[in-house]
Amino acid sequence: MSSTSVSRPRKELPQPLRRLLRLRLLMKRRKPDFVRIDQWRYKRIEDSGWRNQRTLDNKIRRKCKGWPRPVEVGYRKPAEVRGLHPSGFVEVLVHNAEELARLDPKTHAIRIAGTVGLRKRLEIVKRARELRFYVLNPGKRVEERLKKELNTAQSGQ
């Protein structure tokens, strides 16, 4: 198998961590969308996100039946998996191939910054595949180029 193979390495997760990631997913499904009061009424605050309630008459603060649920402590996810990617890796933003030297492929997954162009992105993905990193966003054009290079290398043999 070539060092620039298109397959992605997967992390072998211990059973407790796998269970907690599954639990986090189930908790996320049950969590309501926390909305600001009257966000469904006024267009100007439609996408403003959660704001804590301060007025005495606020129905969300008083937890009245039929009103949206407020943000509370019980909706928080397990501490061991908080901030992890669903694959179990710690997500790291990478801008160039030299940054890969400081990372561990067993614990880190790389996300290539959006400002990186195609040429440098190709370098990063090749180097990451050599070091067996999990690349979260290689990009379609990069994948096509790698497949093309792999096919030409195999047909040349």
Side-chain angles (χ1 to χ4, degrees):
M1 190 160 122
S2 174
S3 62
T4 59
S5 90
V6 181
S7 66
R8 296 178 172 187
R10 298 286 178 186
K11 184 175 185 181
E12 289 299 319
L13 298 172
Q15 188 59 38
L17 187 66
R18 190 178 302 134
R19 187 184 65 78
L20 286 173
L21 283 168
R22 179 81 179 134
L23 176 67
R24 183 180 75 173
L25 181 68
L26 295 173
M27 288 173 74
K28 183 179 180 179
R29 288 180 186 162
R30 291 189 52 152
K31 182 184 75 69
D33 292 331
F34 299 119
V35 294
R36 182 179 175 181
I37 187 74
D38 290 343
Q39 69 91 45
W40 54 88
R41 191 170 294 167
Y42 303 112
K43 193 152 188 73
R44 67 179 179 268
I45 59 172
E46 191 173 356
D47 298 323
S48 62
W50 172 256
R51 298 281 182 93
N52 202 25
Q53 282 70 50
R54 290 182 292 276
T55 61
L56 294 175
D57 300 328
N58 192 288
K59 308 296 188 298
I60 294 178
R61 184 190 64 78
R62 287 167 43 197
K63 301 177 187 170
C64 290
K65 184 176 178 183
W67 287 78
R69 304 301 308 151
V71 173
E72 292 178 317
V73 174
Y75 291 113
R76 201 159 190 198
K77 309 297 184 288
E80 294 84 14
V81 292
R82 209 174 293 145
L84 291 183
H85 188 265
S87 61
F89 287 104
V90 177
E91 210 173 303
V92 180
L93 190 66
V94 174
H95 295 86
N96 55 48
E98 289 79 44
E99 292 180 16
L100 298 175
R102 293 176 284 183
L103 304 175
D104 178 22
K106 289 184 170 55
T107 57
H108 295 107
I110 64 168
R111 181 173 298 280
I112 303 171
T115 56
V116 175
L118 180 63
R119 187 177 67 210
K120 198 187 284 187
R121 182 177 284 264
L122 199 57
E123 288 175 25
I124 292 171
V125 171
K126 282 181 183 178
R127 184 76 183 124
R129 297 268 164 87
E130 288 170 11
L131 297 172
R132 306 286 295 153
F133 274 102
Y134 184 27
V135 183
L136 298 171
N137 61 336
K140 276 186 185 174
R141 294 188 305 178
V142 172
E143 294 285 350
E144 288 169 4
R145 289 244 179 123
L146 287 175
K147 283 181 184 176
K148 198 181 294 183
E149 287 178 16
L150 196 63
N151 289 340
T152 56
Q154 287 177 350
S155 64
Q157 290 176 353

